[in-house]
Amino acid sequence: WPVRVDSPANTGARRRPRTDCCYPAEPMRRSSCPSVVRANGGKPPPPPSRSSVASSTAVVVRESMCELAYDKDELTDSMKGKLKQAFKLPSQDPAKIQSWNPDLRRKSLGVAKRPSSWTPGAFTAPMALPLVGPAMPAEEEYTFEELVLWRPPEPETGESAAAAAASPPAPADGAEGSDAAVPAPDAPAAPAAPETPATAVSVDGFLCRWLREHQREGVQFLFDCCMGLRDFDGMGCILADDMGLGKTLQSIAILWTLMTQGMDGRPAVTHTIVACPVSLVTNWESELNTKWIKEARLRAKGIQVIAVAEAKKEDVLKMVRRFTTSPSAVLIISY
C-alpha cells in the first residue's frame, strides 16, 4: 500500500503526524508504474526536509494502488465504486458444488470382460534368464606389436630325457650307502599334485598398443624384478623415469598383467596397494576404471577397485577390511 499525505481538513487529523514518509501522492500513468517518475514533467520531486515536514500539519493515510497506477480520467464508475468496498468471496453456484457421498466408496471400475473365444490354459512357468556376466566394452580394431614378458622353458628332447631317467638319484645329505636313497619297493608312492601348465606371460593388446619403446623396456624391467628373474640381492624395484615419460601407464600395465597372468598359469598377484597423495586418489581410480583398463574388464576378472580418500576412521577401516577379505582387489589409499 502506498502512502499519501493529506491535509487535516480532509482526514480530520485523527492520526498523529509522522516525519519519516511525506511524499505527496499524485496520479501516475500505467507506463510509469512502479517507478518513481511522476506524470508531471517526468522528474521526481525533491524530497522535503525534516524541518519542513515537522512544521507542516500533514498526516499519513493509506491509499489504494489503483489510484496511483491509473489516471482519474481512466477510472470508470464501476472501478471507482469497487475501490472502497471490502473484499468478498466470489459467489458459488450450489448446483456445481459436489458434496461427499459415502456410497461412492463402494463403487469400482469393475472387472474387464473376457472375450467369448477365451479358454483357460495350463500355467506356464516363466523362463529363467541366463546368468550373463557384465558386458565387455566393444573392442575396436587395432594393431600392436606383442610384448611377451616370459616364456616357459622348452621341453627336453628325447635323448636328454632318457639319460635323466637312467641316471640313479643322488643320495641325500648325511645318508650312508645307496640303500638310504632308494625307497622300499612296497612303499606306496605319494600322489602327484596336479600342476597347471605354464603359459607365456604377455601384456594384453588394449594396453600394449599404447606402449612406446622405452615403456616396453620399463614394463619388462618391472616384471623381471617383481618375479625374481634378475640376479641381484633384493626384491622389487624403483621406476625412476622423468616426468611425462608414462610411469602411470607402465605401472598399470604391470599391475594388470600380474593380477591376471602368472608363470604357473594362475595370477601372480591377487592384492595390490597403490599409495599416493590424497589429491591423486580419485585420479588413480579414474585411470583404472575409465581411461586404461575400464570397469567392465575389472568386474569380468573379479577385481575390485577400492579408493580411500578423505573419509572417517570407521569408513577407512571398513574399506581396508573389504580389501583384505575380497579374493582380488586394488586398494588406492593415501599415505
Side-chain angles (χ1 to χ4, degrees):
W1 288 86
V3 294
R4 188 184 67 183
V5 179
D6 287 349
S7 62
N10 297 335
T11 59
R14 293 174 298 176
R15 298 180 181 239
R16 188 176 180 182
R18 295 182 57 183
T19 61
D20 55 349
C21 184
C22 55
Y23 289 95
E26 297 180 0
M28 298 177 61
R29 295 287 181 179
R30 185 186 308 174
S31 59
S32 61
C33 184
S35 67
V36 297
V37 179
R38 302 297 177 175
N40 50 353
K43 296 181 179 180
S49 61
R50 290 183 175 269
S51 59
S52 62
V53 173
S55 60
S56 64
T57 56
V59 294
V60 178
V61 296
R62 298 185 181 276
E63 188 64 34
S64 174
M65 190 66 183
C66 294
E67 295 184 0
L68 300 179
Y70 295 91
D71 194 8
K72 293 182 178 180
D73 299 337
E74 298 178 359
L75 295 176
T76 61
D77 297 338
S78 59
M79 295 175 62
K80 293 179 181 179
K82 293 180 179 179
L83 291 178
K84 304 298 181 180
Q85 294 179 359
F87 176 77
K88 295 182 180 180
L89 292 174
S91 59
Q92 299 180 357
D93 188 1
K96 296 182 179 180
I97 299 177
Q98 183 178 4
S99 59
W100 181 74
N101 188 0
D103 297 335
L104 296 178
R105 296 180 301 176
R106 305 173 185 175
K107 295 183 179 180
S108 61
L109 298 178
V111 182
K113 296 182 179 180
R114 297 175 179 175
S116 57
S117 59
W118 179 83
T119 54
F123 173 76
T124 304
M127 298 179 59
L129 297 177
L131 298 178
V132 181
M136 292 293 295
E139 293 284 353
E140 56 178 309
E141 297 181 359
Y142 52 83
T143 58
F144 65 95
E145 183 181 356
E146 186 180 11
L147 176 58
V148 180
L149 303 177
W150 178 82
R151 295 181 184 276
E154 297 181 359
E156 299 179 354
T157 59
E159 298 178 358
S160 60
S167 60
D173 296 341
E176 298 179 359
S178 60
D179 296 338
V182 179
D186 55 348
E195 296 182 358
T196 305
T199 57
V201 178
S202 59
V203 181
D204 287 341
F206 68 90
L207 290 174
C208 191
R209 57 181 293 200
W210 302 109
L211 295 176
R212 300 182 179 181
E213 187 62 30
H214 71 278
Q215 294 172 339
R216 297 167 68 93
E217 297 178 2
V219 174
Q220 183 69 60
F221 167 75
L222 294 173
F223 180 82
D224 294 344
C225 295
C226 293
M227 300 303 295
L229 301 181
R230 286 183 172 258
D231 188 12
F232 71 99
D233 187 12
M235 298 182 62
C237 60
I238 297 176
L239 185 62
D241 286 347
D242 291 336
M243 181 179 294
L245 295 182
K247 296 185 294 296
T248 302
L249 176 57
Q250 299 177 57
S251 303
I252 292 177
I254 193 64
L255 181 149
W256 173 258
T257 303
L258 294 180
M259 296 191 71
T260 55
Q261 304 178 48
M263 300 170 62
D264 56 353
R266 294 173 296 180
V269 176
T270 57
H271 293 73
T272 305
I273 298 178
V274 178
C276 61
V278 66
S279 58
L280 300 180
V281 171
T282 55
N283 293 8
W284 267 95
E285 184 181 12
S286 61
E287 293 278 348
L288 293 173
N289 291 336
T290 307
K291 187 174 182 180
W292 296 114
I293 299 181
K294 307 295 183 182
E295 190 175 359
R297 290 192 183 95
L298 293 167
R299 289 199 307 265
K301 294 293 184 178
I303 302 175
Q304 300 184 26
V305 177
I306 305 171
V308 182
E310 299 179 354
K312 298 180 180 179
K313 183 178 179 180
E314 294 77 7
D315 299 337
V316 173
L317 294 177
K318 289 181 181 179
M319 293 181 182
V320 173
R321 192 177 299 109
R322 173 185 166 195
F323 167 74
T324 56
T325 55
S326 60
S328 182
V330 178
L331 178 66
I332 307 174
I333 191 171
S334 63
Y335 46 76

